[in-house]
Coordinates of all heavy atoms in Angstrom, one line a residue:
V24 N 101.6 134.7 116.8 CA 101.3 133.4 116.1 C 102.1 132.3 116.8 O 101.6 131.3 117.1 CB 101.7 133.5 114.6 CG1 101.8 132.1 114.0 CG2 100.7 134.4 113.9
F25 N 103.4 132.6 117.1 CA 104.2 131.5 117.6 C 103.9 131.3 119.1 O 104.0 130.2 119.6 CB 105.7 131.8 117.4 CG 106.1 131.6 116.0 CD1 106.4 132.6 115.2 CD2 106.1 130.3 115.5 CE1 106.8 132.4 113.8 CE2 106.5 130.0 114.2 CZ 106.8 131.1 113.3
S26 N 103.5 132.3 119.8 CA 103.2 132.2 121.3 C 101.9 131.4 121.5 O 101.7 130.8 122.5 CB 103.2 133.5 122.0 OG 102.1 134.3 121.5
C27 N 101.0 131.5 120.5 CA 99.8 130.8 120.6 C 99.9 129.3 120.2 O 98.9 128.6 120.2 CB 98.7 131.4 119.7 SG 98.2 133.1 120.3
G28 N 101.1 128.9 119.8 CA 101.3 127.5 119.5 C 100.9 127.2 118.0 O 100.8 126.0 117.7
V29 N 100.7 128.2 117.2 CA 100.3 127.9 115.8 C 101.6 127.7 115.0 O 102.5 128.6 115.1 CB 99.5 129.1 115.2 CG1 99.2 128.8 113.8 CG2 98.2 129.2 116.0
H30 N 101.7 126.6 114.4 CA 102.9 126.4 113.6 C 102.6 126.6 112.1 O 101.5 126.4 111.6 CB 103.4 124.9 113.7 CG 103.7 124.6 115.2 ND1 104.8 125.0 115.8 CD2 103.0 123.9 116.1 CE1 104.8 124.6 117.0 NE2 103.7 123.9 117.2
M31 N 103.6 127.1 111.4 CA 103.4 127.5 110.0 C 103.0 126.3 109.2 O 102.2 126.4 108.3 CB 104.7 128.1 109.4 CG 104.5 128.7 108.1 SD 103.2 130.0 108.0 CE 104.1 131.3 108.8
A32 N 103.4 125.1 109.5 CA 103.0 123.9 108.8 C 101.5 123.6 109.0 O 100.8 123.3 108.0 CB 103.8 122.7 109.3
D33 N 101.0 123.9 110.2 CA 99.6 123.8 110.4 C 98.8 124.8 109.5 O 97.7 124.4 109.0 CB 99.2 124.0 111.9 CG 99.9 123.0 112.8 OD1 100.2 121.9 112.3 OD2 100.0 123.3 114.0
F34 N 99.3 126.0 109.5 CA 98.6 127.0 108.7 C 98.6 126.6 107.2 O 97.7 126.8 106.5 CB 99.3 128.3 108.9 CG 98.9 129.5 108.0 CD1 97.7 130.1 108.2 CD2 99.6 129.9 106.9 CE1 97.2 131.1 107.4 CE2 99.2 130.9 106.1 CZ 98.0 131.5 106.3
T35 N 99.8 126.1 106.7 CA 99.9 125.8 105.3 C 99.0 124.6 105.0 O 98.3 124.7 103.9 CB 101.4 125.4 105.0 OG1 102.2 126.5 105.3 CG2 101.5 125.0 103.6
A36 N 98.9 123.6 105.8 CA 98.0 122.5 105.6 C 96.5 123.0 105.5 O 95.8 122.6 104.6 CB 98.1 121.5 106.6
E37 N 96.2 123.9 106.4 CA 94.8 124.4 106.4 C 94.5 125.2 105.1 O 93.4 125.1 104.5 CB 94.6 125.3 107.6 CG 93.2 125.8 107.8 CD 92.9 126.5 109.1 OE1 93.6 126.2 110.1 OE2 92.1 127.5 109.1
A38 N 95.5 126.0 104.7 CA 95.3 126.8 103.5 C 95.2 125.9 102.3 O 94.4 126.2 101.4 CB 96.5 127.8 103.3
Q39 N 95.9 124.8 102.2 CA 95.8 123.9 101.1 C 94.5 123.2 101.1 O 94.0 122.9 100.0 CB 97.0 122.9 101.1 CG 98.3 123.5 100.8 CD 99.5 122.5 101.0 OE1 99.4 121.7 101.9 NE2 100.5 122.7 100.3
D40 N 93.9 122.9 102.3 CA 92.7 122.2 102.3 C 91.5 123.1 102.0 O 90.4 122.6 101.6 CB 92.5 121.6 103.7 CG 93.4 120.5 104.0 OD1 94.0 119.9 103.1 OD2 93.6 120.2 105.2
S41 N 91.6 124.4 102.1 CA 90.5 125.3 101.9 C 90.9 126.4 100.9 O 90.8 127.6 101.3 CB 90.1 125.9 103.2 OG 89.7 124.9 104.1
P42 N 91.4 126.1 99.7 CA 91.8 127.2 98.8 C 90.8 128.3 98.5 O 91.1 129.4 98.4 CB 92.3 126.5 97.6 CG 91.9 125.1 97.7 CD 91.5 124.8 99.1
P43 N 89.4 127.9 98.4 CA 88.5 129.0 98.1 C 88.3 129.9 99.3 O 87.9 131.1 99.2 CB 87.2 128.3 97.8 CG 87.5 126.9 97.6 CD 88.8 126.6 98.3
D44 N 88.6 129.5 100.5 CA 88.4 130.3 101.7 C 89.5 131.2 102.1 O 89.4 132.2 102.7 CB 88.1 129.3 102.9 CG 86.9 128.5 102.7 OD1 86.0 128.9 102.0 OD2 86.9 127.4 103.3
L45 N 90.7 130.8 101.7 CA 91.9 131.6 102.0 C 92.7 131.9 100.8 O 93.3 131.0 100.2 CB 92.8 130.9 103.0 CG 94.0 131.6 103.5 CD1 93.7 132.9 104.2 CD2 94.9 130.7 104.4
R46 N 92.7 133.2 100.4 CA 93.5 133.6 99.3 C 94.5 134.7 99.7 O 94.1 135.7 100.4 CB 92.6 134.1 98.2 CG 91.7 133.0 97.7 CD 91.2 133.3 96.3 NE 90.5 132.1 95.9 CZ 89.3 132.1 95.4 NH1 88.7 133.2 95.2 NH2 88.8 131.0 95.0
L47 N 95.7 134.5 99.3 CA 96.8 135.5 99.7 C 97.3 136.2 98.5 O 97.4 135.6 97.4 CB 97.9 134.8 100.4 CG 97.6 134.0 101.7 CD1 98.8 133.2 102.2 CD2 97.1 134.9 102.7
S48 N 97.5 137.5 98.6 CA 98.0 138.4 97.6 C 99.2 139.2 98.0 O 99.3 139.4 99.2 CB 96.9 139.3 97.1 OG 95.7 138.7 96.7
V49 N 100.0 139.6 97.1 CA 101.1 140.5 97.4 C 101.0 141.7 96.5 O 100.5 141.6 95.4 CB 102.5 139.8 97.4 CG1 102.6 138.7 98.4 CG2 102.8 139.3 96.0
Y50 N 101.5 142.8 96.9 CA 101.6 144.0 96.2 C 103.0 144.3 95.8 O 103.8 144.5 96.7 CB 100.9 145.2 97.0 CG 100.7 146.4 96.2 CD1 99.6 146.7 95.5 CD2 101.7 147.4 96.2 CE1 99.4 147.8 94.8 CE2 101.5 148.6 95.5 CZ 100.3 148.8 94.8 OH 100.1 150.0 94.2
L51 N 103.3 144.4 94.6 CA 104.7 144.6 94.1 C 104.8 146.1 93.7 O 104.1 146.5 92.8 CB 105.1 143.7 93.0 CG 105.0 142.2 93.3 CD1 105.3 141.4 92.1 CD2 106.0 141.9 94.4
T52 N 105.7 146.8 94.3 CA 105.8 148.3 94.0 C 106.5 148.5 92.6 O 107.1 147.5 92.0 CB 106.7 149.0 95.0 OG1 108.0 148.4 95.0 CG2 106.1 148.8 96.4
T53 N 106.5 149.7 92.1 CA 107.1 150.0 90.8 C 108.6 149.6 90.8 O 109.0 149.1 89.8 CB 107.0 151.5 90.4 OG1 107.5 152.3 91.5 CG2 105.5 151.9 90.2
D54 N 109.3 149.8 91.9 CA 110.7 149.4 91.9 C 110.8 147.9 91.7 O 111.7 147.4 90.9 CB 111.3 149.7 93.3 CG 111.6 151.2 93.5 OD1 111.6 151.9 92.4 OD2 111.7 151.6 94.6
S55 N 110.0 147.1 92.3 CA 110.0 145.6 92.1 C 109.6 145.2 90.7 O 110.2 144.4 90.1 CB 109.1 144.9 93.1 OG 109.5 145.1 94.4
V56 N 108.6 145.9 90.1 CA 108.2 145.6 88.8 C 109.3 145.9 87.8 O 109.6 145.1 86.9 CB 106.9 146.3 88.4 CG1 106.5 146.1 87.0 CG2 105.7 145.9 89.4

């Protein structure tokens, strides 16, 4: 990601502009719960 010149700020802006297209999830294990 960083060697391709993609900056996290660019990714974040894109994600905010297209919320229906990009959805992120996390999986919390029993220890975390």
Side-chain angles (χ1 to χ4, degrees):
V24 167
F25 286 109
S26 67
C27 292
V29 176
H30 300 287
M31 192 56 77
D33 297 336
F34 173 76
T35 301
E37 187 174 325
Q39 289 172 331
D40 291 340
S41 303
D44 299 332
L45 180 61
R46 296 205 173 127
L47 301 175
S48 301
V49 296
Y50 188 88
L51 301 173
T52 63
T53 56
D54 287 340
S55 296
V56 176

